[in-house]
Amino acid sequence: MKHLKPLKSVQLRGTGILDYDNSENQLFLEEERRMSYLGFRCLEISRWVVCGLIGFLTGLIACFIDIMVEQLTGLKYYVVKENIEKFTAGGGLSISLILWAVLNSAFVMVGAIIVAFFEPIAGGSGIPQIKCYLNGVKIPRVVRLKTLLVKVAGVICSVAGGLVVGKEGPMIHSGAVVAAGVSQGRSTSLKRDFKIFEYFRRDTEKRDFVSAGAAAGVSAAFGAPVGGVLFSLEEAASYWNQMLTWRIFFASMISTFTLNFFLSVYNKNPGELSNPGLINFGSFDRNVRSLCSFCQFLTASGLLGALFNALNYWLTIFRIRYIHRPCLQVMEAMLVAAVTATVSFIMIYFSNACQPLDVVQGEDYPLQLYCDDGEYNSMATTFFNRPEKSVQNLFHNPPGSYHPLTLGVFTITYFFLACWTYGLAVSAGVFIPSLLIGAAWGRLIGIMLGAALLGFIWADPGKYALIGAAAQLGGIVRMTLSLTVILIEATGNVTYGLPLMLVLMTAKIVGDYFEEGLYDIHIKLQSVPFVHSEAPPTSHWLTAREVMSSPVTSFNRVERVGTIVDLLSNTSTNHNGFPVVVSNANGEEPAKLCGLILRSQLIVLLKHKVFVELARSKLTRRKLQLKDFRDAYPRFPPIQSIHVSQDERECMMDLTEFMNPTPYTVPQETSLPRVYKLFRALGLRHLVVVDDSNRVVGLVTRKDLARYHLGKHGLEELQLAQT
């Protein structure tokens, strides 16, 4: 069988790979053996403390975002409302339209500028990037403090600017960044080291805390601690254990409690914990008999989700090809904001959806426009309200609150606006727009069924809005278990579990038949070496021999410094791990494996000049410790910054103490699905392929697996866009 050729046209865009497999070298084992039982218990307590801090800070960030969005949205509403009321009777509403469009564009311009020019990785929801990180792919700057600041400011501007976006998705990214920073006990951006949690400065520990941060973000967004844990399990983490479950649940509980408490103080009701998340769906009654008949219409949810994802995929391809400059990205975001305001204004202007104001208890932003006194325009309220409030209104407003034509036009318009908006150079999520679209067409179907069946189902259109919201979101993001629990927790009614489960499973099955989930699509478009949970179906015919890289660049146990520097400096061999071998006397046969050493370890050794000649000299040199590697983590210096003199190039370096003497290896005939399982479950970065005599014959990397996966599924459109 022929060797597979890598896809040269697929650009991996500077991504790196994380080491989720601990390097059990002599330094690591000595430190572990010196640690007492009390020391291990203190470490375990420290993990709980870190998770508590993650939950607390994530809750504070969610509270800050919610308050700022509420204040800015309220300010914008009152300015526009006053202007509309001024010109409603005398004419000149075009001035109101211009004012609305200018305010929206101004907010969005600020949010787009800080993303496009200062931190592009903060754009979007950040969920695809966090999924990649927990999968073992290191996307540059994804968990830095600067990213968090831009993310928070950007999502406030995006939501206040009236874009068809939500702030719940970015909370997951924000929680992950908080976790990555708190768990390290220092800030590399601020160059401050607090000398705490130094033991956790490695990829394995950091991964677990980032999982807790993502769960805390979900909990703060939806008030769903259990749903947050399941989200990390279903969508993010590739590694799990029982103690990790408890710590993540603890972080989620702290997050939702913190948000609840501070919002109660802000609302001048301290102690009244009635705001568990950024969105609260409200309580539903327990009657679900009428919902069972709705499940037969759920095929539409998967089709709508697949259509949304397909349109967004081609739109993203267009952006990759033509809108890649920051100035163009800002202009596009402002254009979308102006178009959204214009379309909303036109729909409000021509809408006759007038409803009595006393029908709804406490409308936040009622707009009268051309309605009679004591009435409000329900279309205007839907667009002016925060998206979370609009979703809640669609769930709980009584029958007759919305005209069917209003819901139909709103669904179509909002669908295409949401598809156009997702992927802009702004911080924004897709959760709430999806829920709002689904709630609109779900309520519409409930009204239509009620009219057809002479009012039998008319009494509960809000329940159909709930099912429609779940169906639309599930059809787009393809979440099943976690989304079911999130919606159950957000509605406070477990009796809706079965209908929601049927809805989400149907949406996933139908949607997967036509198109991948939205997050998977954007992961593919980023061209990162993502290892999926299962190997491709056709991979059972292949073995490790077909996907491995060979010949392998390796080092001897005692290697010349110049050789190490030259190999690390060679851009054509930009590997992250190198087998350490014992060469044969004749040098003709492959060398036998005795360990594996990482690029980052070699750079630290060169930086500290751990040479054999210096160790034997009379100069007393401090023995290198694990602390030296942790101090350099995670931003190891590039090899170009390491100065090695000509005399030092002739020195020798003994790698025995620093290499991992027991790396994972597989025979050449190991099936590709088994290789996939090792990479996925253990978080491996590279896997050494050996023959029967333990001689190194090849090396399988995550990029090798990713190239095979991308090649089998075809990326003609992506390759064309990146050319």
Side-chain angles (χ1 to χ4, degrees):
M1 187 175 294
K2 297 181 179 180
H3 288 259
L4 295 175
K5 295 182 179 180
L7 295 178
K8 296 182 180 180
S9 58
V10 176
Q11 305 297 321
L12 295 176
R13 299 185 184 179
T15 57
I17 307 298
L18 299 168
D19 291 306
Y20 289 156
D21 177 35
N22 288 326
S23 179
E24 294 190 351
N25 53 25
Q26 292 184 19
L27 294 182
F28 177 82
L29 294 177
E30 288 175 2
E31 182 184 72
E32 295 291 305
R33 289 164 183 165
R34 286 196 304 267
M35 192 175 300
S36 63
Y37 176 79
L38 181 60
F40 281 108
R41 298 304 299 174
C42 290
L43 280 177
E44 188 62 26
I45 294 174
S46 298
R47 291 187 177 96
W48 285 92
V49 171
V50 171
C51 287
L53 289 173
I54 291 170
F56 178 74
L57 294 176
T58 303
L60 283 181
I61 291 173
C63 182
F64 174 76
I65 292 175
D66 193 53
I67 293 173
M68 291 300 299
V69 168
E70 181 180 347
Q71 293 294 326
L72 293 177
T73 303
L75 176 63
K76 183 185 74 172
Y77 164 73
Y78 287 115
V79 171
V80 176
K81 179 186 177 184
E82 182 179 352
N83 194 273
I84 290 177
E85 291 177 345
K86 176 181 178 182
F87 292 105
T88 297
L93 281 177
S94 57
I95 299 178
S96 302
L97 168 60
I98 294 174
L99 176 63
W100 192 1
V102 168
L103 286 176
N104 279 7
S105 298
F107 280 123
V108 173
M109 180 183 68
V110 175
I113 287 176
I114 60 177
V115 170
F117 286 94
F118 293 97
E119 197 55 81
I121 198 65
S125 66
I127 296 178
Q129 289 82 0
I130 295 305
K131 286 186 64 174
C132 291
Y133 185 93
L134 294 174
N135 187 262
V137 182
K138 183 181 181 181
I139 298 179
R141 306 181 307 279
V142 70
V143 289
R144 290 191 184 177
L145 177 62
K146 182 181 177 182
T147 303
L148 175 63
L149 297 177
V150 174
K151 195 81 176 184
V152 171
V155 73
I156 292 173
C157 294
S158 300
V159 178
L163 289 178
V164 184
V165 298
K167 56 182 180 289
E168 282 69 21
M171 275 308 307
I172 299 172
H173 190 182
S174 300
V177 178
V178 169
V182 171
S183 64
Q184 304 303 290
R186 66 178 178 184
S187 172
T188 52
S189 300
L190 300 177
K191 298 181 180 179
R192 290 292 303 274
D193 192 341
F194 300 100
K195 304 296 182 181
I196 57 175
F197 309 137
E198 293 180 317
Y199 184 84
F200 303 143
R201 294 176 185 176
R202 50 180 170 170
D203 291 336
T204 308
E205 297 283 352
K206 196 173 181 179
R207 169 198 60 189
D208 294 345
F209 292 119
V210 170
S211 298
V218 174
S219 180
F222 295 96
V226 179
V229 175
L230 293 177
F231 174 85
S232 284
L233 174 61
E234 180 181 14
E235 288 293 313
S238 58
Y239 171 80
W240 207 262
N241 63 31
Q242 185 175 3
M243 288 306 299
L244 181 60
T245 305
W246 280 108
R247 290 198 297 269
I248 290 180
F249 183 64
F250 177 67
S252 299
M253 288 296 298
I254 294 295
S255 175
T256 191
F257 178 81
T258 301
L259 174 66
N260 216 343
F261 175 77
F262 282 98
L263 283 183
S264 69
V265 174
Y266 170 74
N267 294 325
K268 299 180 181 179
N269 295 309
E272 184 180 342
L273 306 181
S274 57
N275 299 284
L278 295 180
I279 180 171
N280 184 9
F281 294 152
S283 301
F284 288 78
D285 61 50
R286 299 179 180 274
N287 181 18
V288 296
R289 289 178 297 176
S290 60
L291 293 179
C292 297
S293 60
F294 187 60
C295 292
Q296 58 187 316
F297 299 97
L298 298 181
T299 302
S301 63
L303 294 175
L304 286 174
L307 176 62
F308 184 99
N309 293 353
L311 292 175
N312 189 263
Y313 173 77
W314 287 106
L315 180 60
T316 306
I317 291 292
F318 177 82
R319 285 174 174 145
I320 292 174
R321 295 185 64 179
Y322 300 109
I323 314 178
H324 51 273
R325 295 182 180 179
C327 57
L328 295 178
Q329 293 173 346
V330 174
M331 292 174 62
E332 184 197 16
M334 295 176 62
L335 174 64
V336 174
V339 170
T340 302
T342 303
V343 171
S344 304
F345 192 89
I346 293 174
M347 293 178 63
I348 293 171
Y349 183 81
F350 289 102
S351 172
N352 294 320
C354 297
Q355 299 294 332
L357 190 58
D358 57 353
V359 170
V360 180
Q361 299 296 326
E363 276 292 352
D364 291 340
Y365 304 114
L367 186 66
Q368 183 177 355
L369 203 59
Y370 291 112
C371 297
D372 296 332
D373 292 338
E375 294 183 339
Y376 73 101
N377 188 305
S378 62
M379 176 70 79
T381 303
T382 303
F383 275 107
F384 262 113
N385 257 328
R386 290 177 296 162
E388 296 86 354
K389 182 64 176 178
S390 297
V391 172
Q392 189 174 3
N393 288 345
L394 286 168
F395 287 168
H396 296 289
N397 281 5
S401 300
Y402 298 93
H403 193 276
L405 182 60
T406 300
L407 292 174
V409 175
F410 176 82
T411 299
I412 296 173
T413 305
Y414 215 76
F415 180 90
F416 287 105
L417 286 176
C419 187
W420 189 13
T421 303
Y422 190 79
L424 293 175
V426 294
S427 299
V430 75
F431 273 62
I432 295 302
S434 302
L435 290 172
L436 188 52
I437 294 168
W441 66 255
R443 189 176 181 105
L444 174 62
I445 291 180
I447 294 174
M448 295 170 60
L449 287 176
L453 298 177
L454 302 177
F456 178 69
I457 312 178
W458 173 264
D460 290 318
K463 295 179 180 179
Y464 287 89
L466 171 63
I467 297 298
Q472 183 66 45
L473 181 56
I476 292 176
V477 301
R478 311 293 162 77
M479 294 162 52
T480 53
L481 177 62
S482 58
L483 186 54
T484 300
V485 176
I486 287 173
L487 294 174
I488 289 175
E489 289 186 278
T491 57
N493 196 335
V494 73
T495 56
Y496 286 88
L498 180 59
L500 289 172
M501 188 183 302
L502 294 175
V503 165
L504 294 172
M505 286 299 298
T506 306
K508 177 175 174 57
I509 293 172
V510 175
D512 284 345
Y513 182 79
F514 295 98
E515 188 60 84
E516 293 179 290
L518 185 64
Y519 299 143
D520 294 326
I521 288 175
H522 280 264
I523 288 174
K524 182 174 70 173
L525 290 175
Q526 293 174 18
S527 302
V528 297
F530 189 88
V531 176
H532 296 262
S533 57
E534 297 290 340
T538 56
S539 63
H540 288 79
W541 300 96
L542 300 175
T543 62
R545 181 189 292 111
E546 275 72 45
V547 296
M548 70 183 185
S549 300
S550 62
V552 182
T553 303
S554 58
F555 292 119
N556 294 313
R557 186 192 296 269
V558 180
E559 187 62 81
R560 194 174 70 91
V561 172
T563 303
I564 296 176
V565 173
D566 292 339
L567 282 175
L568 294 182
S569 303
N570 189 355
T571 56
S572 63
T573 57
N574 191 24
H575 305 308
N576 291 298
F578 303 90
V580 181
V581 298
V582 177
S583 301
N584 297 305
N586 52 21
E588 297 179 357
E589 297 182 356
K592 289 189 176 182
L593 177 71
C594 63
L596 184 75
I597 194 162
L598 305 178
R599 171 182 290 268
S600 58
Q601 294 174 317
L602 291 171
I603 287 177
V604 174
L605 296 179
L606 290 172
K607 179 181 178 181
H608 290 273
K609 302 187 183 303
V610 185
F611 306 149
V612 174
E613 286 77 6
L614 294 179
R616 293 173 180 174
S617 67
K618 296 181 180 179
L619 298 176
T620 303
R621 299 187 60 86
R622 180 179 63 87
K623 183 180 179 181
L624 208 62
Q625 300 176 351
L626 277 183
K627 184 180 184 302
D628 298 296
F629 295 91
R630 290 169 180 159
D631 288 341
Y633 177 86
R635 301 184 191 178
F636 294 97
I639 184 61
Q640 291 77 13
S641 66
I642 307 298
H643 175 70
V644 178
S645 66
Q646 190 62 37
D647 292 337
E648 290 174 335
R649 288 178 59 88
E650 301 303 322
C651 294
M652 304 299 291
M653 183 182 292
D654 190 352
L655 307 179
T656 305
E657 188 178 6
F658 311 101
M659 69 179 185
N660 181 6
T662 56
Y664 288 100
T665 61
V666 292
Q668 300 178 72
E669 302 304 322
T670 305
S671 67
L672 189 57
R674 186 171 182 83
V675 173
Y676 251 82
K677 290 179 181 178
L678 289 173
F679 272 89
R680 171 76 179 184
L682 301 177
L684 298 183
R685 188 172 187 170
H686 15 59
L687 188 63
V688 182
V689 182
V690 296
D691 60 12
D692 296 338
S693 301
N694 199 37
R695 293 190 293 259
V696 179
V697 295
L699 189 71
V700 180
T701 67
R702 292 175 64 95
K703 292 185 179 181
D704 293 330
L705 296 183
R707 289 191 181 100
Y708 171 75
H709 190 85
L710 295 177
K712 296 300 292 182
H713 286 76
L715 282 180
E716 292 82 4
E717 301 89 352
L718 177 60
Q719 294 172 9
L720 179 63
Q722 292 179 337
T723 302

